[in-house]
Amino acid sequence: MRSTRVDAVAILGASFSLRVVLGLLAKGVQMLTGRPYPQQFFDTEGEARAWLLAQRDALRLRAGSSA
């Protein structure tokens, strides 16, 4: 089984209770892996896609500057 790297997660239209649970889960993953786990909640798909594109661009810049 292959593992998949998750660099950012955009969550669309979550209730308050789901936001709390997912936030706690993300903190746990971050504590166990030692890697940042960027996540953000959005009301619209357009906002979520824009944030994901910005996260991708930032990741590419960091990868390019470390090479």
Side-chain angles (χ1 to χ4, degrees):
M1 178 158 95
R2 293 186 323 159
S3 64
T4 301
R5 188 177 88 196
V6 176
D7 292 313
V9 176
I11 303 158
L12 189 61
S15 66
F16 175 76
S17 57
L18 188 56
R19 288 176 187 235
V20 170
V21 169
L22 292 176
L24 291 171
L25 182 62
K27 294 280 187 200
V29 168
Q30 189 170 346
M31 288 174 58
L32 290 173
T33 64
R35 292 186 53 216
Y37 190 78
Q39 68 166 359
Q40 189 72 37
F41 296 93
F42 298 96
D43 293 324
T44 68
E45 183 179 347
E47 292 172 328
R49 287 181 179 272
W51 182 79
L52 286 171
L53 289 172
Q55 293 296 309
R56 182 183 66 182
D57 292 343
L59 183 62
R60 287 179 176 171
L61 281 175
R62 284 192 303 269
S65 65
S66 66

